[in-house]
Amino acid sequence: MKGLLKYLKEYKKESILAPVFKMLEASFELLVPLVIGAMINVGIANMDKNYILSMGGVLVFLGVIGLICSVTAQYYAAKAATGFAAKLRYAMFTHIQAFSYEKLDTVGTSTLITRMTSDINQVQNGVNMFLRLFLRSPFIVIGAVIMAFYVDVKAALVFAVAIPLLSVVVFGIVFANIPLYKKVQDRLDKVTLATRETLNGIRVIRAFRKEADEIREFDEKNKTLTGIQLLAGRVSALLNPLTYVIINLALVVLLYTGAFRVDVGGIKQGDVVSLVNYMSQILVELVKLVNLIVTLTKAVACASRIENVMQIKEGMGLDLEQSADKSDTNSECKVETAEMTSVSEDEKNIEETCCTMSSISSVLQDAFIQFQNVSFTYKQASEEALSNMNFSIKKGQTIGIIGGTGSGKSTLVQLIPRLYDVTKGCVMVNGKNVKDYDLDELRKMIGYVPQKAALFKGTIKDNICFGKEDASDEAIEEAILVAQAKEFIEKKEEGLDTPVEQGGRNLSGGQRQRLTIARALVRRPQILILDDSCSALDYATDAALRDGLSKLSYHPTVFLVSQRTISIQDADQILVLDDGEIVGIGKHEVLLRECEVYREIYDSQYKEEVESHES
Ligand code: ADP
Ligand code: MG
């Protein structure tokens, strides 16, 4: 919670004024029983109509002032709390934008959403309630006791017994309930998760006829949630009867002894009424205090969940961390940038480095992209996803990457825009380690089409211009033409202004893929990465796309990841991956002769082709 309080700093004034006005309100409230007592003692006892009316006026006055104070306090508390929440939400969003893929992998997106929404709301509530009640409630409880003693010491002894007893009951019940509330939150998370998963996978569930299973599982989760909520409810249900019994017993004692004392003239009637009033004020305020404690407990729990996210160090998402990142650049890869001479001077360094002299000198002249002894391991994984990769690519070349699923194709291409950082070795673009680039500069060079086509809610044009907002009409035209998206866009009534639903739900898989390709092309990138982006395209469209790419005037270097040999067989270089290793580099014909893995893939697909033609 402490770490989050800095977002309240700007609302210092509000955070002070809110409780102060609440205190004022409480003070006026504490005066009310005294006025009523006086009304009875003086006004009614003497049948003094004027006195009663003037005291009535005082009551109205106290009420109006109290209301004004209360509204003012409420205003400031709400302003501080919502302002605080807005700042926190903004900070969290910015923070999450700066997460690397790696961090996102570990944290998980769905809990990030809960933390940004419902958790922040809880904390906002907590701040609001705290500002309003943390001074007021104790002030009224203690103030009422003091006033009671001021009215009549002997009668107030009842308070001295009743209040501690009440406190024990009230706080006992709350503290018994807090762990139950935590469990409720936990079970609620589970129900939410189950709901989300079921709704996302509803088609699969139906296709596999698993509805009954899903319903049963949901029912179980729901029942445990209900059970624990009922238990919590039963415990809190004790609160009212127990407190009312105590309060009413105290009232009985108060009235009973009061009556005797009034008879003998030991206490006035009005004073007894004032005491009764104080007693009920205390009860109401204790219940509020309990609510405050419950809200605060929840808020603190949520705050710590938020803090956990805020404490995760950012990396590679936004520019925020550039300076920090650069400092930890792998020393091993600095050698080969420019100072070839210094390499020979520093023999020891070379031994440590991944980059041997021969590999450097052989690739340095006209290499545009180089992988030098690159290995990569995912954070949660025990094995390397890529091991010891070495290759280099010239500007403008087309590189095919092929291999079975899970062989590391996607992982490999994600290292180029630095979506992940290599574990060992280095990736060089244009003679410079990707880690030495300004992230903006690096990613502006690259058009990346991820394997899973992700579109945003908006129009087709919005989505295409996502990578370059100021794209000219010609650039858009060229992009959709090459991406083979022109035909289907033109078929839509609204053309480029056709709305795209969240995630591109209203488009087919192939249409989505073509739009993501157009989105990457519109930037006219120097490097274009297509990660299995043609899997949903038919052969003819796939071929037309490749033909279009090869004719682009700006000659991008293209990485074509594919499962189909036919898609990559014209590439200038083909990398064959198997289990995170390169098992073949070369042109189609050479690989057919020399690379067994490649030949196997080719044969299996070639046979399929023949069979499908025959049938
Ligand atoms: P391909 O694209 O060739 O199908 P990937 O590069 O996606 O293969 O995956 C290579 C290996 O890395 C696989 O064994 C996969 O299980 C693992 N992997 C992929 N993404 C992650 C991730 N985010 N976290 C942990 N392991 C991953
Ligand atoms: Mg993949």
Short mmCIF file of all heavy atoms in Angstrom, two decimals, residues 105 378 380-381 385 404-412 420 451 531, ligand 1:
data_model
loop_
_atom_site.label_atom_id
_atom_site.label_comp_id
_atom_site.label_asym_id
_atom_site.label_seq_id
_atom_site.Cartn_x
_atom_site.Cartn_y
_atom_site.Cartn_z
N ASP A 105 4.86 -13.27 -20.50
CA ASP A 105 4.74 -14.73 -20.40
C ASP A 105 4.59 -15.15 -18.95
O ASP A 105 3.77 -15.99 -18.61
CB ASP A 105 6.01 -15.41 -20.95
CG ASP A 105 6.02 -15.40 -22.47
OD1 ASP A 105 5.00 -15.00 -23.05
OD2 ASP A 105 7.04 -15.77 -23.05
N TYR A 378 13.65 -19.95 -23.03
CA TYR A 378 12.53 -19.24 -22.42
C TYR A 378 12.65 -19.30 -20.91
O TYR A 378 13.18 -20.27 -20.37
CB TYR A 378 11.20 -19.86 -22.85
CG TYR A 378 10.77 -19.46 -24.23
CD1 TYR A 378 10.86 -20.35 -25.29
CD2 TYR A 378 10.27 -18.19 -24.47
CE1 TYR A 378 10.47 -19.99 -26.58
CE2 TYR A 378 9.88 -17.81 -25.75
CZ TYR A 378 9.97 -18.71 -26.80
OH TYR A 378 9.59 -18.34 -28.05
N GLN A 380 10.64 -19.87 -18.41
CA GLN A 380 10.09 -20.99 -17.62
C GLN A 380 10.58 -22.34 -18.13
O GLN A 380 10.29 -23.36 -17.53
CB GLN A 380 8.56 -21.00 -17.64
CG GLN A 380 7.87 -19.67 -17.47
CD GLN A 380 7.60 -19.04 -18.82
OE1 GLN A 380 8.49 -18.95 -19.66
NE2 GLN A 380 6.39 -18.57 -19.04
N ALA A 381 11.29 -22.32 -19.26
CA ALA A 381 11.64 -23.60 -19.86
C ALA A 381 12.98 -24.10 -19.35
O ALA A 381 13.85 -23.33 -18.95
CB ALA A 381 11.70 -23.44 -21.38
N ALA A 385 15.44 -23.29 -26.49
CA ALA A 385 14.53 -23.32 -27.64
C ALA A 385 15.34 -23.17 -28.93
O ALA A 385 14.94 -23.67 -29.98
CB ALA A 385 13.49 -22.22 -27.53
N GLY A 404 9.56 -28.49 -38.35
CA GLY A 404 8.33 -28.97 -37.73
C GLY A 404 7.81 -27.99 -36.70
O GLY A 404 8.49 -27.02 -36.35
N THR A 405 6.60 -28.22 -36.19
CA THR A 405 6.10 -27.33 -35.14
C THR A 405 6.96 -27.51 -33.90
O THR A 405 7.39 -28.61 -33.58
CB THR A 405 4.64 -27.65 -34.77
OG1 THR A 405 4.53 -29.05 -34.67
CG2 THR A 405 3.66 -27.10 -35.76
N GLY A 406 7.23 -26.40 -33.26
CA GLY A 406 8.03 -26.45 -32.05
C GLY A 406 9.52 -26.52 -32.33
O GLY A 406 10.33 -26.69 -31.43
N SER A 407 9.92 -26.36 -33.61
CA SER A 407 11.34 -26.46 -33.91
C SER A 407 12.06 -25.14 -33.64
O SER A 407 13.28 -25.08 -33.70
CB SER A 407 11.54 -26.89 -35.36
OG SER A 407 10.88 -25.99 -36.23
N GLY A 408 11.32 -24.07 -33.37
CA GLY A 408 11.96 -22.82 -32.99
C GLY A 408 11.88 -21.72 -34.03
O GLY A 408 12.55 -20.70 -33.91
N LYS A 409 11.03 -21.90 -35.05
CA LYS A 409 10.94 -20.91 -36.12
C LYS A 409 10.48 -19.55 -35.59
O LYS A 409 11.11 -18.53 -35.84
CB LYS A 409 9.97 -21.40 -37.21
CG LYS A 409 10.31 -22.77 -37.78
CD LYS A 409 9.38 -23.15 -38.91
CE LYS A 409 7.92 -23.33 -38.49
NZ LYS A 409 7.67 -24.45 -37.57
N SER A 410 9.37 -19.57 -34.85
CA SER A 410 8.85 -18.30 -34.34
C SER A 410 9.83 -17.67 -33.37
O SER A 410 10.04 -16.45 -33.38
CB SER A 410 7.52 -18.53 -33.62
OG SER A 410 6.58 -19.07 -34.50
N THR A 411 10.43 -18.49 -32.55
CA THR A 411 11.38 -17.98 -31.58
C THR A 411 12.51 -17.26 -32.29
O THR A 411 12.91 -16.16 -31.92
CB THR A 411 11.95 -19.14 -30.74
OG1 THR A 411 10.86 -19.93 -30.26
CG2 THR A 411 12.76 -18.63 -29.58
N LEU A 412 13.01 -17.88 -33.35
CA LEU A 412 14.14 -17.30 -34.08
C LEU A 412 13.79 -15.91 -34.61
O LEU A 412 14.53 -14.95 -34.39
CB LEU A 412 14.51 -18.24 -35.22
CG LEU A 412 15.78 -17.93 -36.01
CD1 LEU A 412 16.32 -19.21 -36.62
CD2 LEU A 412 15.61 -16.91 -37.08
N TYR A 420 12.28 -10.81 -27.78
CA TYR A 420 12.99 -11.50 -26.71
C TYR A 420 14.47 -11.19 -26.87
O TYR A 420 14.92 -10.91 -27.98
CB TYR A 420 12.79 -13.01 -26.80
CG TYR A 420 11.42 -13.49 -26.44
CD1 TYR A 420 10.47 -13.76 -27.42
CD2 TYR A 420 11.06 -13.67 -25.11
CE1 TYR A 420 9.21 -14.20 -27.08
CE2 TYR A 420 9.79 -14.12 -24.77
CZ TYR A 420 8.87 -14.38 -25.76
OH TYR A 420 7.63 -14.81 -25.42
N GLN A 451 2.62 -14.92 -35.96
CA GLN A 451 1.96 -16.15 -36.40
C GLN A 451 0.46 -16.08 -36.17
O GLN A 451 -0.33 -16.52 -36.97
CB GLN A 451 2.57 -17.33 -35.62
CG GLN A 451 2.02 -18.67 -36.03
CD GLN A 451 2.91 -19.80 -35.57
OE1 GLN A 451 3.78 -19.62 -34.73
NE2 GLN A 451 2.68 -20.97 -36.11
N ASP A 531 5.73 -14.67 -40.15
CA ASP A 531 5.82 -15.89 -39.36
C ASP A 531 4.62 -16.78 -39.66
O ASP A 531 3.55 -16.62 -39.08
CB ASP A 531 5.87 -15.54 -37.87
CG ASP A 531 6.12 -16.79 -37.02
OD1 ASP A 531 6.17 -17.89 -37.60
OD2 ASP A 531 6.27 -16.65 -35.79
P1 ADP B 1 7.64 -23.06 -34.09
O1 ADP B 1 7.33 -21.64 -34.42
O2 ADP B 1 8.71 -23.64 -34.94
O3 ADP B 1 6.44 -23.93 -34.13
P2 ADP B 1 8.32 -22.00 -31.52
O4 ADP B 1 9.47 -21.11 -31.81
O5 ADP B 1 7.02 -21.37 -31.31
O6 ADP B 1 8.22 -23.14 -32.63
O7 ADP B 1 8.66 -22.85 -30.22
C1 ADP B 1 9.93 -23.45 -29.99
C2 ADP B 1 9.94 -24.08 -28.61
O8 ADP B 1 9.84 -23.09 -27.61
C3 ADP B 1 8.80 -25.05 -28.37
O9 ADP B 1 9.31 -26.17 -27.72
C4 ADP B 1 7.85 -24.30 -27.48
O10 ADP B 1 7.23 -25.19 -26.57
C5 ADP B 1 8.75 -23.33 -26.76
N1 ADP B 1 8.07 -22.04 -26.51
C6 ADP B 1 7.52 -21.25 -27.45
N2 ADP B 1 7.02 -20.11 -26.89
C7 ADP B 1 7.24 -20.21 -25.55
C8 ADP B 1 6.96 -19.37 -24.44
N3 ADP B 1 6.36 -18.19 -24.58
N4 ADP B 1 7.35 -19.81 -23.21
C9 ADP B 1 7.99 -21.00 -23.07
N5 ADP B 1 8.28 -21.82 -24.08
C10 ADP B 1 7.92 -21.46 -25.32
#
